[in-house]
PDB file of all heavy atoms in Angstrom:
ATOM      1  N   VAL H  92      16.669  36.374 -73.728  1.00 96.00           N
ATOM      2  CA  VAL H  92      17.252  37.703 -73.501  1.00 96.00           C
ATOM      3  C   VAL H  92      18.409  37.903 -74.417  1.00 96.00           C
ATOM      4  O   VAL H  92      19.206  36.966 -74.733  1.00 96.00           O
ATOM      5  CB  VAL H  92      17.667  37.880 -72.016  1.00 96.00           C
ATOM      6  CG1 VAL H  92      18.695  36.827 -71.583  1.00 96.00           C
ATOM      7  CG2 VAL H  92      18.085  39.264 -71.730  1.00 96.00           C
ATOM      8  N   ALA H  93      18.514  39.077 -75.026  1.00 95.00           N
ATOM      9  CA  ALA H  93      19.529  39.368 -76.026  1.00 95.00           C
ATOM     10  C   ALA H  93      20.800  39.983 -75.493  1.00 95.00           C
ATOM     11  O   ALA H  93      21.881  39.678 -76.019  1.00 95.00           O
ATOM     12  CB  ALA H  93      18.941  40.276 -77.153  1.00 95.00           C
ATOM     13  N   ASP H  94      20.702  40.726 -74.508  1.00 96.00           N
ATOM     14  CA  ASP H  94      21.850  41.574 -74.101  1.00 96.00           C
ATOM     15  C   ASP H  94      22.400  41.178 -72.733  1.00 96.00           C
ATOM     16  O   ASP H  94      21.603  40.942 -71.806  1.00 96.00           O
ATOM     17  CB  ASP H  94      21.418  43.069 -74.053  1.00 96.00           C
ATOM     18  CG  ASP H  94      22.622  43.971 -74.030  1.00 96.00           C
ATOM     19  OD1 ASP H  94      23.211  44.214 -72.984  1.00 96.00           O
ATOM     20  OD2 ASP H  94      23.051  44.429 -75.136  1.00 96.00           O
ATOM     21  N   TYR H  95      23.720  41.086 -72.611  1.00 97.00           N
ATOM     22  CA  TYR H  95      24.338  40.616 -71.373  1.00 97.00           C
ATOM     23  C   TYR H  95      23.892  41.441 -70.255  1.00 97.00           C
ATOM     24  O   TYR H  95      23.699  41.043 -69.092  1.00 97.00           O
ATOM     25  CB  TYR H  95      25.846  40.672 -71.588  1.00 97.00           C
ATOM     26  CG  TYR H  95      26.674  40.133 -70.419  1.00 97.00           C
ATOM     27  CD1 TYR H  95      26.687  38.749 -70.179  1.00 97.00           C
ATOM     28  CD2 TYR H  95      27.410  41.004 -69.655  1.00 97.00           C
ATOM     29  CE1 TYR H  95      27.443  38.347 -69.018  1.00 97.00           C
ATOM     30  CE2 TYR H  95      28.172  40.543 -68.596  1.00 97.00           C
ATOM     31  CZ  TYR H  95      28.103  39.153 -68.305  1.00 97.00           C
ATOM     32  OH  TYR H  95      28.873  38.742 -67.279  1.00 97.00           O
ATOM     33  N   THR H  96      23.691  42.800 -70.422  1.00 97.00           N
ATOM     34  CA  THR H  96      23.325  43.698 -69.389  1.00 97.00           C
ATOM     35  C   THR H  96      21.941  43.486 -68.928  1.00 97.00           C
ATOM     36  O   THR H  96      21.551  44.015 -67.825  1.00 97.00           O
ATOM     37  CB  THR H  96      23.556  45.220 -69.796  1.00 97.00           C
ATOM     38  OG1 THR H  96      22.643  45.485 -70.921  1.00 97.00           O
ATOM     39  CG2 THR H  96      24.948  45.446 -70.171  1.00 97.00           C
ATOM     40  N   ASP H  97      21.180  42.686 -69.606  1.00 96.00           N
ATOM     41  CA  ASP H  97      19.731  42.348 -69.176  1.00 96.00           C
ATOM     42  C   ASP H  97      19.648  41.073 -68.296  1.00 96.00           C
ATOM     43  O   ASP H  97      18.608  40.804 -67.822  1.00 96.00           O
ATOM     44  CB  ASP H  97      18.856  42.232 -70.433  1.00 96.00           C
ATOM     45  CG  ASP H  97      18.661  43.545 -71.100  1.00 96.00           C
ATOM     46  OD1 ASP H  97      18.779  44.609 -70.469  1.00 96.00           O
ATOM     47  OD2 ASP H  97      18.365  43.513 -72.291  1.00 96.00           O
ATOM     48  N   LEU H  98      20.810  40.450 -68.133  1.00 98.00           N
ATOM     49  CA  LEU H  98      20.800  39.257 -67.275  1.00 98.00           C
ATOM     50  C   LEU H  98      20.624  39.755 -65.807  1.00 98.00           C
ATOM     51  O   LEU H  98      21.139  40.761 -65.414  1.00 98.00           O
ATOM     52  CB  LEU H  98      22.087  38.458 -67.341  1.00 98.00           C
ATOM     53  CG  LEU H  98      22.381  37.677 -68.707  1.00 98.00           C
ATOM     54  CD1 LEU H  98      23.735  37.064 -68.608  1.00 98.00           C
ATOM     55  CD2 LEU H  98      21.307  36.690 -68.969  1.00 98.00           C
ATOM     56  N   THR H  99      19.951  38.872 -65.055  1.00 98.00           N
ATOM     57  CA  THR H  99      19.871  39.153 -63.573  1.00 98.00           C
ATOM     58  C   THR H  99      21.196  38.779 -62.967  1.00 98.00           C
ATOM     59  O   THR H  99      22.061  38.073 -63.628  1.00 98.00           O
ATOM     60  CB  THR H  99      18.819  38.302 -62.947  1.00 98.00           C
ATOM     61  OG1 THR H  99      19.135  36.863 -63.049  1.00 98.00           O
ATOM     62  CG2 THR H  99      17.428  38.543 -63.617  1.00 98.00           C
ATOM     63  N   GLU H 100      21.430  39.199 -61.734  1.00 98.00           N
ATOM     64  CA  GLU H 100      22.644  38.894 -61.014  1.00 98.00           C
ATOM     65  C   GLU H 100      22.776  37.308 -60.915  1.00 98.00           C
ATOM     66  O   GLU H 100      23.923  36.812 -61.074  1.00 98.00           O
ATOM     67  CB  GLU H 100      22.735  39.501 -59.660  1.00 98.00           C
ATOM     68  CG  GLU H 100      23.018  41.021 -59.730  1.00 98.00           C
ATOM     69  CD  GLU H 100      23.147  41.587 -58.379  1.00 98.00           C
ATOM     70  OE1 GLU H 100      23.765  40.896 -57.428  1.00 98.00           O
ATOM     71  OE2 GLU H 100      22.820  42.784 -58.158  1.00 98.00           O
ATOM     72  N   SER H 101      21.713  36.673 -60.626  1.00 98.00           N
ATOM     73  CA  SER H 101      21.878  35.199 -60.415  1.00 98.00           C
ATOM     74  C   SER H 101      22.107  34.427 -61.759  1.00 98.00           C
ATOM     75  O   SER H 101      22.837  33.440 -61.798  1.00 98.00           O
ATOM     76  CB  SER H 101      20.555  34.661 -59.774  1.00 98.00           C
ATOM     77  OG  SER H 101      19.441  34.932 -60.411  1.00 98.00           O
ATOM     78  N   GLU H 102      21.468  34.998 -62.897  1.00 98.00           N
ATOM     79  CA  GLU H 102      21.813  34.417 -64.193  1.00 98.00           C
ATOM     80  C   GLU H 102      23.232  34.654 -64.524  1.00 98.00           C
ATOM     81  O   GLU H 102      23.905  33.788 -65.075  1.00 98.00           O
ATOM     82  CB  GLU H 102      20.884  35.086 -65.232  1.00 98.00           C
ATOM     83  CG  GLU H 102      19.457  34.614 -65.181  1.00 98.00           C
ATOM     84  CD  GLU H 102      18.580  35.461 -66.108  1.00 98.00           C
ATOM     85  OE1 GLU H 102      18.784  36.653 -66.340  1.00 98.00           O
ATOM     86  OE2 GLU H 102      17.579  34.854 -66.675  1.00 98.00           O
ATOM     87  N   THR H 103      23.764  35.839 -64.296  1.00 98.00           N
ATOM     88  CA  THR H 103      25.110  36.150 -64.611  1.00 98.00           C
ATOM     89  C   THR H 103      26.076  35.193 -63.823  1.00 98.00           C
ATOM     90  O   THR H 103      26.999  34.720 -64.363  1.00 98.00           O
ATOM     91  CB  THR H 103      25.389  37.645 -64.271  1.00 98.00           C
ATOM     92  OG1 THR H 103      24.600  38.429 -64.986  1.00 98.00           O
ATOM     93  CG2 THR H 103      26.897  38.052 -64.565  1.00 98.00           C
ATOM     94  N   ALA H 104      25.734  35.074 -62.571  1.00 98.00           N
ATOM     95  CA  ALA H 104      26.517  34.203 -61.694  1.00 98.00           C
ATOM     96  C   ALA H 104      26.562  32.729 -62.149  1.00 98.00           C
ATOM     97  O   ALA H 104      27.614  32.057 -62.210  1.00 98.00           O
ATOM     98  CB  ALA H 104      26.136  34.273 -60.202  1.00 98.00           C
ATOM     99  N   GLU H 105      25.356  32.221 -62.527  1.00 98.00           N
ATOM    100  CA  GLU H 105      25.317  30.872 -62.992  1.00 98.00           C
ATOM    101  C   GLU H 105      25.936  30.738 -64.337  1.00 98.00           C
ATOM    102  O   GLU H 105      26.545  29.629 -64.683  1.00 98.00           O
ATOM    103  CB  GLU H 105      23.849  30.388 -63.004  1.00 98.00           C
ATOM    104  CG  GLU H 105      23.781  28.839 -63.208  1.00 98.00           C
ATOM    105  CD  GLU H 105      22.376  28.306 -63.120  1.00 98.00           C
ATOM    106  OE1 GLU H 105      21.409  28.995 -63.350  1.00 98.00           O
ATOM    107  OE2 GLU H 105      22.302  27.096 -62.767  1.00 98.00           O
ATOM    108  N   LEU H 106      25.827  31.639 -65.222  1.00 98.00           N
ATOM    109  CA  LEU H 106      26.518  31.622 -66.516  1.00 98.00           C
ATOM    110  C   LEU H 106      28.023  31.518 -66.331  1.00 98.00           C
ATOM    111  O   LEU H 106      28.731  30.662 -66.994  1.00 98.00           O
ATOM    112  CB  LEU H 106      26.169  32.869 -67.366  1.00 98.00           C
ATOM    113  CG  LEU H 106      26.679  32.817 -68.814  1.00 98.00           C
ATOM    114  CD1 LEU H 106      25.589  33.238 -69.785  1.00 98.00           C
ATOM    115  CD2 LEU H 106      27.849  33.803 -68.994  1.00 98.00           C
ATOM    116  N   ALA H 107      28.525  32.284 -65.352  1.00 98.00           N
ATOM    117  CA  ALA H 107      30.018  32.230 -65.083  1.00 98.00           C
ATOM    118  C   ALA H 107      30.364  30.874 -64.513  1.00 98.00           C
ATOM    119  O   ALA H 107      31.425  30.301 -64.874  1.00 98.00           O
ATOM    120  CB  ALA H 107      30.381  33.384 -64.145  1.00 98.00           C
ATOM    121  N   GLU H 108      29.537  30.377 -63.595  1.00 97.00           N
ATOM    122  CA  GLU H 108      29.850  29.083 -62.928  1.00 97.00           C
ATOM    123  C   GLU H 108      29.859  27.908 -63.995  1.00 97.00           C
ATOM    124  O   GLU H 108      30.739  27.035 -63.979  1.00 97.00           O
ATOM    125  CB  GLU H 108      28.912  28.767 -61.838  1.00 97.00           C
ATOM    126  CG  GLU H 108      29.181  27.504 -61.055  1.00 97.00           C
ATOM    127  CD  GLU H 108      30.621  27.414 -60.479  1.00 97.00           C
ATOM    128  OE1 GLU H 108      31.193  28.499 -60.027  1.00 97.00           O
ATOM    129  OE2 GLU H 108      31.123  26.366 -60.374  1.00 97.00           O
ATOM    130  N   LEU H 109      28.845  27.912 -64.859  1.00 97.00           N
ATOM    131  CA  LEU H 109      28.815  26.876 -65.873  1.00 97.00           C
ATOM    132  C   LEU H 109      29.935  26.990 -66.884  1.00 97.00           C
ATOM    133  O   LEU H 109      30.431  25.990 -67.398  1.00 97.00           O
ATOM    134  CB  LEU H 109      27.516  26.816 -66.591  1.00 97.00           C
ATOM    135  CG  LEU H 109      26.541  25.643 -66.136  1.00 97.00           C
ATOM    136  CD1 LEU H 109      26.127  25.750 -64.693  1.00 97.00           C
ATOM    137  CD2 LEU H 109      25.397  25.422 -67.076  1.00 97.00           C
ATOM    138  N   THR H 110      30.409  28.215 -67.133  1.00 98.00           N
ATOM    139  CA  THR H 110      31.576  28.442 -67.943  1.00 98.00           C
ATOM    140  C   THR H 110      32.784  27.786 -67.346  1.00 98.00           C
ATOM    141  O   THR H 110      33.585  27.139 -68.040  1.00 98.00           O
ATOM    142  CB  THR H 110      31.800  29.929 -68.232  1.00 98.00           C
ATOM    143  OG1 THR H 110      30.620  30.373 -68.965  1.00 98.00           O
ATOM    144  CG2 THR H 110      32.999  30.214 -69.104  1.00 98.00           C
ATOM    145  N   LYS H 111      33.038  28.035 -66.084  1.00 97.00           N
ATOM    146  CA  LYS H 111      34.109  27.449 -65.305  1.00 97.00           C
ATOM    147  C   LYS H 111      34.031  25.942 -65.353  1.00 97.00           C
ATOM    148  O   LYS H 111      35.029  25.212 -65.613  1.00 97.00           O
ATOM    149  CB  LYS H 111      34.160  27.928 -63.905  1.00 97.00           C
ATOM    150  CG  LYS H 111      34.563  29.396 -63.744  1.00 97.00           C
ATOM    151  CD  LYS H 111      34.414  30.006 -62.325  1.00 97.00           C
ATOM    152  CE  LYS H 111      34.984  29.154 -61.251  1.00 97.00           C
ATOM    153  NZ  LYS H 111      34.836  29.782 -59.993  1.00 97.00           N
ATOM    154  N   GLN H 112      32.858  25.345 -65.131  1.00 97.00           N
ATOM    155  CA  GLN H 112      32.676  23.934 -65.130  1.00 97.00           C
ATOM    156  C   GLN H 112      32.935  23.341 -66.570  1.00 97.00           C
ATOM    157  O   GLN H 112      33.496  22.248 -66.678  1.00 97.00           O
ATOM    158  CB  GLN H 112      31.219  23.570 -64.658  1.00 97.00           C
ATOM    159  CG  GLN H 112      31.017  23.837 -63.219  1.00 97.00           C
ATOM    160  CD  GLN H 112      29.570  23.530 -62.776  1.00 97.00           C
ATOM    161  OE1 GLN H 112      28.780  23.067 -63.583  1.00 97.00           O
ATOM    162  NE2 GLN H 112      29.236  23.979 -61.528  1.00 97.00           N
ATOM    163  N   ALA H 113      32.506  24.109 -67.566  1.00 97.00           N
ATOM    164  CA  ALA H 113      32.797  23.631 -68.954  1.00 97.00           C
ATOM    165  C   ALA H 113      34.248  23.517 -69.287  1.00 97.00           C
ATOM    166  O   ALA H 113      34.765  22.607 -69.862  1.00 97.00           O
ATOM    167  CB  ALA H 113      32.053  24.604 -69.961  1.00 97.00           C
ATOM    168  N   MET H 114      35.017  24.544 -68.710  1.00 97.00           N
ATOM    169  CA  MET H 114      36.428  24.494 -68.940  1.00 97.00           C
ATOM    170  C   MET H 114      37.046  23.274 -68.237  1.00 97.00           C
ATOM    171  O   MET H 114      37.945  22.591 -68.866  1.00 97.00           O
ATOM    172  CB  MET H 114      37.081  25.759 -68.397  1.00 97.00           C
ATOM    173  CG  MET H 114      36.677  27.030 -69.240  1.00 97.00           C
ATOM    174  SD  MET H 114      37.301  28.562 -68.377  1.00 97.00           S
ATOM    175  CE  MET H 114      39.050  28.348 -68.560  1.00 97.00           C
TER     176      MET H 114
END
Side-chain angles (χ1 to χ4, degrees):
V92 58
D94 197 276
Y95 184 71
T96 62
D97 291 333
L98 291 177
T99 66
E100 285 186 33
S101 60
E102 286 171 327
T103 302
E105 192 174 27
L106 187 132
E108 183 57 35
L109 255 67
T110 298
K111 288 170 52 177
Q112 292 175 9
M114 292 172 67

